[in-house]
Amino acid sequence: MRRIEVLAYPDIQLLDVSGPLQVFASANDFKRQAGEPAPYEVVVVAASPRIRTSAGLVLEAAVLPANGGKIDTLVVPGGWGVNAACDDPVLIQWIASRSRDATRTASVCSGAMLLATAGLLDGRRAVTHWGRCAEFARRFPAVRLEPDPIFIRDGNVWTSAGVTAGIDLALSLVEADLGRHTALAVARELVVFLKRPGGQAQFSQPLKLQQGDGRFDRLHGWILENLAGDLSLTQLADHANMSPRSFSRRYREATGRTPARAIEEIRIEAARRMLERGQPVNQTARRCGFGSEETMRRGFLRVLGTNPRAYRERF
């Protein structure tokens, strides 16, 4: 059984704690229902037995464990109370020491600031909530901050973006521990994406594309990086090391749709996120590989029931 400790402190973000907790709890439920033992022992730990979250809900916590006992994972969430927590030398020392006892250490959202204050991110790649990136970069210049990813793994240290990204990170930890089948079962139970391609812009490729055996995950990543390039059937088949005919058949078997339909959906998802960030329609159409505004407009009307300009104004 893997012991996971989730740190809590006053004014912590509730979902930073409860999101990963539920992922691990659902993984335990899935294994028990399969007649197997629960893989995780998850404990919320804090300097005080009762911690009030920024949402007003009070959490009951176990005392901070003494250092020296080995654990699998230390999870450090964020929230409005993170700045005060960074100024607590006792807590920072505990994080630094407990991290040495852990096989891996992970932060959720602005919890990366606590890891950085403890010196755990110096020289490492890291991510935090998009709204705290400028502050983070000023305070921790030794950290290689990357503002876009949903989560980053650098060695045995994992950091994740804002709030719900803690669920993405926890699902990835479950997949690393227990395999894709269990992680996907948990994602389905929680009605979330197993993997959100892209970054905090949240290019959310439909979950249906991930319901197969994972053989096309790398291809989907390549597609997202080459939306404006040649995504013809021949190119896709070459990238998948298959003949066009074999690729079309196996891709449809794995994802439930044709390659052309999947690419259209991925492009529309990417365009949506660009428009939500205020990007011009013509630039969005070009960067997402539609070729023209008219082609993108027809795709939006067919899939979303609205045109790109109306979508941009609304969102």
Side-chain angles (χ1 to χ4, degrees), residues 145-157:
L145 181 67
E146 298 183 14
D148 192 49
I150 294 295
F151 63 85
I152 289 175
R153 177 184 182 180
D154 191 325
N156 65 340
V157 178

Side-chain angles (χ1 to χ4, degrees), residues 161-279:
V163 192
T164 59
I167 297 174
D168 297 80
L169 181 144
L171 284 168
S172 186
L173 295 176
V174 169
E175 184 175 18
D177 293 339
L178 308 176
R180 179 185 182 84
H181 177 66
T182 299
L184 184 55
V186 172
R188 286 171 173 160
E189 174 67 23
L190 300 181
V191 197
V192 297
F193 296 104
L194 174 57
K195 297 177 182 177
R196 282 188 282 181
Q200 291 201 65
Q202 295 184 7
F203 293 110
S204 52
Q205 185 180 356
L207 181 59
K208 292 179 182 178
L209 294 182
Q210 299 181 32
Q211 289 181 346
D213 56 11
R215 78 185 92 166
F216 295 113
D217 284 358
R218 184 172 296 180
L219 176 65
H220 293 148
W222 178 80
I223 290 171
L224 282 166
E225 294 174 356
N226 295 274
L227 288 176
D230 180 4
L231 297 180
S232 64
L233 178 62
T234 300
Q235 285 293 324
L236 296 176
D238 285 346
H239 197 77
N241 294 317
M242 299 179 186
S243 69
R245 182 176 180 180
S246 178
F247 170 76
S248 293
R249 175 173 56 82
R250 294 185 182 181
Y251 188 89
R252 185 158 192 164
E253 290 173 353
T255 67
R257 64 202 60 209
T258 66
R261 179 63 182 272
I263 288 171
E264 180 183 61
E265 291 180 0
I266 293 171
R267 280 180 164 147
I268 289 173
E269 281 291 315
R272 286 176 56 197
R273 302 314 175 191
M274 288 185 65
L275 294 172
E276 289 167 9
R277 296 200 304 270
Q279 295 296 315

Side-chain angles (χ1 to χ4, degrees), residues 271-293:
R272 286 176 56 197
R273 302 314 175 191
M274 288 185 65
L275 294 172
E276 289 167 9
R277 296 200 304 270
Q279 295 296 315
V281 173
N282 60 347
Q283 185 180 106
T284 298
R286 184 175 65 254
R287 290 180 60 183
C288 292
F290 287 101
S292 69
E293 288 187 40

Side-chain angles (χ1 to χ4, degrees), residues 43-124:
V43 184
V44 177
V45 300
S48 302
R50 291 168 62 82
I51 297 293
R52 181 176 292 277
T53 69
S54 59
L57 186 69
V58 175
L59 303 176
E60 292 189 358
V63 66
L64 291 179
N67 295 314
K70 294 297 182 181
I71 61 170
D72 184 80
T73 307
L74 172 65
V75 179
V76 179
W80 292 116
V82 72
N83 287 340
C86 285
D87 291 334
D88 183 343
V90 175
L91 183 62
I92 295 302
Q93 180 57 47
W94 183 86
I95 292 172
S97 299
R98 198 57 172 160
S99 181
R100 290 193 289 270
D101 297 333
T103 301
R104 58 194 177 191
T105 300
S107 68
V108 181
C109 194
S110 57
M113 291 187 167
L114 285 164
L115 298 192
T117 302
L120 300 176
L121 298 181
D122 287 355
R124 294 183 185 272

